[in-house]
C-alpha cells in the first residue's frame, strides 16, 4: 500500500509518499480501506519532534470501509463505514485499528466530516461538558477557537446555554465563529485577550476556559473568575507548560487536564462520540473542513495545516 511516512522528525518536507507493507489485521482489529484522513494537531507535533522507527506512518484519525475483521471482533462487519482513532497509522491507504476504537458512520454523514469528528468533537465535549461542567448562563473563553477542537467547543458551549468568548484572528474566521455560536470574538492579534475577557464580564472573569494552546495557560488563569475552571488539552503553541499556581490556589480555581488518547475506549466516552456522529448527520453540529489534499501531497497538507491557520480541519484522501 501507499503511505505518508517519515524516517526522522522535522518540517513537513520529511514526509515521503512510498510503498510500505500492508497492515495485518489482528484478532481484535478491523482493517479499513481509508477514504478520508483528518490531520490532527498531534500528528503535526509528532512529525516535528518525535523520533520513531524508519518509515513511520503518522496519523491519529481516518474514516473508511471495513475490509476484514479479526476473529474476536463481533461488533463490526465487512462493508461497515467507520470512523477510527489510533495513535499512529492513519496516513495510509489501509489501516488496522482496534474495533473498540471505531465508530459506525451514520447514513448521510460525509466521510471527511466523519474522519474529523471523533477527536475534535470528542475532545470538545469532554472539555466543555464532562470536565468543564459548563452551566447555562456561564461565560466560557475558548482559545484557538478556529481550530477543530475550538469550533466544536464553541458549538457545544453555546448549545449548553453559555456565553461564548472565542479567540481567533481574521475577519472571515470571526464571522464564521459568530455563525456557529460565539457571542463575542476577540482578535488575539489586535487585542489583549485577558483584558477583553475581563471587560466583557464586567471585570469578573469567565467561569470556564478551554485552552488547547498551552503557551496561553498563564493568560487563561488571569482571565478566570474566582472558583472558575480551566481545562487544558494540548500544547499547540509548543514549549513548556509552565504556570504560576499561587494565584489559582488563592482563588480556589480548578485545573483539569484532558488527554483523549487514553479514554476513547471508555464506554461513556465512546458512546458520546456515537451521539455526536448522529448529531452531525442530522445537522445539529457542523464539522468544518477547511481544505482537502491528496495523500500523495501529505507534505503540502501538513505545511498548510501548520502555516495557513486553517478554519477547521485539513483532510487528505488516498
Amino acid at each position: 500500500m501507499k503511505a505518508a511516512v517519515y524516517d526522522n522528525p522535522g518540517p513537513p518536507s520529511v514526509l515521503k509518499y512510498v510503498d510500505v507493507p500492508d497492515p495485518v489485521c489482528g484478532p481484535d482489529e478491523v482493517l479499513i480501506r481509508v477514504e478520508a484522513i483528518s490531520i490532527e494537531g498531534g500528528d503535526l507535533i509528532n512529525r516535528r519532534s518525535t523520533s520513531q522507527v524508519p518509515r513511520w506512518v503518522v496519523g491519529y484519525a481516518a474514516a473508511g470501509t471495513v475490509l476484514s475483521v479479526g476473529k474476536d471482533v463481533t461488533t463490526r462487519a465487512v462493508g461497515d463505514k467507520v470512523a477510527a482513532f489510533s495513535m499512529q497509522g492513519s496516513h495510509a491507504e489501509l489501516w488496522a485499528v482496534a474495533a473498540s476504537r471505531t465508530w459506525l458512520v451514520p447514513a448521510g454523514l460525509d466521510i471527511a466530516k466523519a474522519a474529523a469528528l471523533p477527536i475534535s468533537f470528542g475532545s470538545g465535549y469532554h472539555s466543555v461538558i464532562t470536565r468543564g461542567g459548563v452551566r447555562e448562563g456561564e461565560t466560557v473563553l475558548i482559545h484557538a477557537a478556529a481550530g477543530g477542537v475550538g469550533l466544536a467547543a464553541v458549538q457545544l458551549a453555546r448549545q449548553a446555554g453559555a456565553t461564548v468568548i472565542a479567540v481567533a484572528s481574521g475577519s472571515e474566521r470571526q464571522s464564521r465563529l459568530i455563525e456557529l455560536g460565539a457571542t463575542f470574538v476577540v482578535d488575539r492579534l489586535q487585542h489583549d485577550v485577558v483584558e477583553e475577557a475581563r471587560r466583557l464580564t464586567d471585570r469578573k472573569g469567565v467561569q470556564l476556559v478551554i485552552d488547547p494552546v498551552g503557551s496561553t495557560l498563564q493568560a487563561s488563569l488571569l482571565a478566570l473568575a474566582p472558583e472558575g475552571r480551566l481545562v487544558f488539552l494540548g500544547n499547540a503553541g509548543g514549549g513548556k507548560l509552565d504556570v504560576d499556581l499561587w494565584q489559582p490556589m488563592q482563588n480556589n480555581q480548578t485545573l483539569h487536564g484532558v488527554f483523549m488518547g487514553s479514554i476513547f475506549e471508555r464506554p461513556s466516552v465512546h458512546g458520546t462520540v456515537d451521539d455526536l456522529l448522529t448529531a452531525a448527520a442530522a445537522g445539529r453540529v457542523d464539522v468544518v473542513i477547511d481544505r482537502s489534499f491528496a495523500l500523495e501531497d501529505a507534505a503540502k497538507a501538513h505545511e498548510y495545516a501548520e502555516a495557513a491557520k486553517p478554519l477547521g480541519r485539513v483532510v487528505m484522501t488516498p
Side-chain angles (χ1 to χ4, degrees):
M1 69 172 183
K2 292 287 189 180
V5 306
Y6 71 85
D7 294 324
N8 296 293
S13 59
V14 301
L15 287 173
K16 307 299 180 186
Y17 184 65
V18 299
D19 288 302
V20 298
D22 289 358
V24 176
C25 184
D28 63 345
E29 293 180 329
V30 295
L31 181 65
I32 302 167
R33 182 179 69 243
V34 174
E35 296 169 28
I37 302 154
S38 176
I39 299 179
E40 302 294 329
D43 301 342
L44 305 177
I45 293 171
N46 286 341
R47 191 220 67 236
R48 286 196 303 262
S49 59
T50 306
S51 296
Q52 304 285 5
V53 297
R55 294 208 163 185
W56 182 256
V57 183
V58 72
Y60 287 172
T65 302
V66 174
L67 295 180
S68 62
V69 300
K71 65 180 181 63
D72 296 334
V73 175
T74 59
T75 59
R76 299 289 180 261
V78 172
D80 283 346
K81 293 282 187 181
V82 296
F85 161 84
S86 190
M87 295 306 293
Q88 63 90 23
S90 73
H91 287 30
E93 293 178 317
L94 301 173
W95 196 20
V97 184
S100 58
R101 290 190 172 191
T102 67
W103 296 267
L104 293 173
V105 177
L109 181 60
D110 177 77
I111 200 70
K113 292 179 181 285
L117 183 141
I119 292 178
S120 58
F121 274 83
S123 301
Y125 188 96
H126 199 72
S127 299
V128 172
I129 308 297
T130 307
R131 302 297 277 169
V134 69
R135 294 182 286 272
E136 186 174 1
E138 291 189 322
T139 300
V140 182
L141 176 69
I142 301 172
H143 288 283
V149 174
L151 289 167
V154 166
Q155 295 175 67
L156 295 169
R158 187 55 177 268
Q159 290 177 13
T163 295
V164 177
I165 303 174
V167 180
S169 60
S171 58
E172 179 184 344
R173 293 148 66 106
Q174 293 178 42
S175 61
R176 186 72 175 109
L177 283 163
I178 295 293
E179 291 175 2
L180 290 171
T183 316
F184 307 102
V185 181
V186 176
D187 189 330
R188 60 181 178 80
L189 301 179
Q190 300 294 328
H191 300 282
D192 181 279
V193 173
V194 174
E195 181 57 33
E196 283 296 287
R198 301 196 71 82
R199 181 184 68 82
L200 292 168
T201 56
D202 295 326
R203 315 306 301 177
K204 296 175 183 177
V206 303
Q207 285 76 43
L208 175 62
V209 178
I210 306 299
D211 191 335
V213 180
S215 59
T216 54
L217 285 176
Q218 195 63 55
S220 295
L221 290 170
L222 292 173
L224 204 58
E227 301 188 27
R229 294 96 64 201
L230 165 62
V231 179
F232 58 101
L233 63 152
N235 189 21
K240 294 183 178 180
L241 300 180
D242 291 333
V243 295
D244 181 358
L245 294 177
W246 182 248
Q247 180 178 323
M249 182 194 70
Q250 289 182 312
N251 287 333
N252 295 292
Q253 294 163 338
T254 305
L255 282 67
H256 294 285
V258 167
F259 176 69
M260 298 301 294
S262 59
I263 63 173
F264 267 128
E265 291 172 287
R266 187 178 297 172
S268 60
V269 178
H270 195 278
T272 293
V273 174
D274 279 325
D275 294 341
L276 289 164
L277 285 162
T278 299
R284 297 195 299 274
V285 297
D286 189 2
V287 184
V288 179
I289 305 297
D290 182 283
R291 185 171 170 183
S292 179
F293 290 80
L295 177 58
E296 63 185 290
D297 295 323
K300 293 180 180 177
H302 271 234
E303 183 177 11
Y304 181 82
E306 285 186 336
K309 305 299 181 185
L311 179 69
R313 284 290 187 245
V314 177
V315 300
M316 299 184 294
T317 56

